[in-house]
Amino acid sequence: MTVSVETRRSRVTVYAKSTAPSLTPVKPGKTHEFTALDHSMSRHSVHLVCYYRQAPTVTMTALKESLCDVLSYYPAMTGRLVKNEGDGCGEWMVKCNDAGVRMVDARADTTLDEFLATATDEEERQLAYWEDVGSDPYLWSPYCIQFTDFKDGSMAVGISCTHFHADPTCVAVFSRAWSETHRRALVTCPPFFHPWAFYPRKNPVPSSPHLSEKSTIPPPLHPPAMSSVTFAFSASSVRQCLADLQLSNLSPFDALASLLWLRISSYKRASLGTAQLTLAVDCRRRMSAPLPLGFYGNALHFFGVKADLSSGWIHIASELNRHVSGIKEDDVWSSVEWLHERSKEKAFQMYGPELTCLAWDNVPVYNAEFSPGAIPVHVGCRIGNAQGEGLVVIMAGAPGEGEEARTVIVTLPTDLTAQIYRDEAILKYRPKIMFSPNI
């Protein structure tokens, strides 16, 4: 099946770019080092978009002022990449020099409600401006913050950064700290700059068969065009999924990840059999000495899950549950140590080329409250350069939809996206479909 993607005039217009420095100057000579986990993510970027209804204190001018305030807590965000010649290896590090983050002003020729109801995946991507690193990294801002005004006074705040610097949890925690600074409240999750938290153990055991296999797969010469669709599952829809599975120990993640894995695979394979899915799980709280939620950097553990898809949905959900609940700290350390051992080699693709699923539904993403009681009406998250078979991001749903509500963002080759967002087995659970490709 071949589909065509229609183009239409963009409703989002960028009209200004500027730079936001931190309010408090950084002490001369301050640097931030990267971990092996950080280096492994250098091929990807993170894009978070939060949508807010009109509020008296949520204006572009006011948000820019509080952004400069909160950046005083985040010197690594305002710095620039340089080579650490002092380590003898020339590894990248951040020179914290108050260069600032890129700011982008934009307007949308529509209201917020109309945008949420009719925007395509491409239009949502236009709310999180991004520039890939150029020939001189020292001139490049690793963070971009976009403010988009809607016709009804509502606003979207898009935060983009290189995955080299931070994972999605780190970006979500920053948005929360920014909102608390904006309200003149105490920053409840300040950044924790401690890259040595992922330095190898005294007696390392470097081993990661899954990542080792991934590292040998060359990038495709002609990657397919990718597109996305967002499914917003209400709490009642997720409860119905769990009821249909008839297993009491399953989580909303187990139910939805297994459903998407099965349905996506059914369109790719002539016959279902044993298949592998890569899972990415935040491990901040999975260590014997848990890292604070504000840990700055990357803390994702990537591992593979195999299941016989022909055995059905219940079997697949059970296998996912068994693997996720069975993550051992030693496995995380062995993976980190394997990455550390090869950190001087070229980074490979972490999200792909096989189907990958990011388990992100246990991270609070709706607490970036810039005005009292005014939480985001919707939050979207995308990962840049997720090529190959595709990526499924499962995150918490809007609080008004219930505790079990989940938002699922699926990025696939465009031909497959056109099939999956019309799939009857998924539509049976009545998800709200958002940001689909304009096919």
Side-chain angles (χ1 to χ4, degrees), residues 233 238 240-247 249-269 272-273 275-279 305-324 355-359 361 392-394 406 408 410 420 423 425-426 429:
F233 289 89
V238 175
Q240 185 59 55
C241 276
L242 292 168
D244 289 350
L245 285 166
Q246 301 177 342
L247 293 174
N249 64 325
L250 299 181
S251 67
F253 173 80
D254 300 328
L256 294 175
S258 57
L259 176 63
L260 268 296
W261 186 11
L262 179 61
R263 297 313 305 157
I264 291 170
S265 298
S266 70
Y267 291 102
K268 296 190 304 177
R269 299 168 178 267
L272 295 177
Q276 180 166 272
L277 174 74
T278 291
L279 284 182
V305 175
K306 289 185 178 180
D308 181 1
L309 302 187
S310 64
S311 295
W313 185 21
I314 294 176
H315 167 75
I316 301 168
S318 298
E319 284 299 291
L320 281 176
N321 175 270
R322 182 173 68 85
H323 281 81
V324 173
L355 185 64
T356 305
C357 182
L358 172 59
D361 58 333
V392 178
V393 177
I394 298 181
R406 295 293 185 271
V408 181
V410 184
I420 208 68
D423 183 81
I426 296 174
Y429 296 101

Side-chain angles (χ1 to χ4, degrees), residues 94-136:
V94 179
K95 183 177 181 180
C96 304
N97 58 2
D98 296 319
V101 302
R102 174 80 69 207
M103 289 193 301
V104 174
D105 302 347
R107 64 173 66 92
D109 188 24
T110 181
T111 64
L112 175 59
D113 286 335
E114 183 181 359
F115 188 86
L116 292 175
T118 64
T120 64
D121 60 330
E122 176 59 31
E123 284 184 305
E124 188 183 40
R125 279 194 287 271
Q126 293 171 7
L127 300 184
Y129 182 85
W130 182 239
E131 297 174 348
D132 288 321
V133 61
S135 57
D136 188 352

Side-chain angles (χ1 to χ4, degrees), residues 6-45:
E6 299 176 7
T7 58
R8 66 182 184 188
R9 184 182 66 84
S10 173
R11 294 179 288 182
V12 179
T13 303
V14 171
Y15 62 87
K17 296 179 184 179
S18 56
T19 301
S22 63
L23 194 63
T24 305
V26 178
K27 293 180 180 179
K30 187 176 182 61
T31 60
H32 173 71
E33 296 182 8
F34 293 111
T35 68
L37 272 173
D38 297 331
H39 283 282
S40 72
M41 305 306 301
S42 60
R43 295 185 58 164
H44 302 285
S45 53

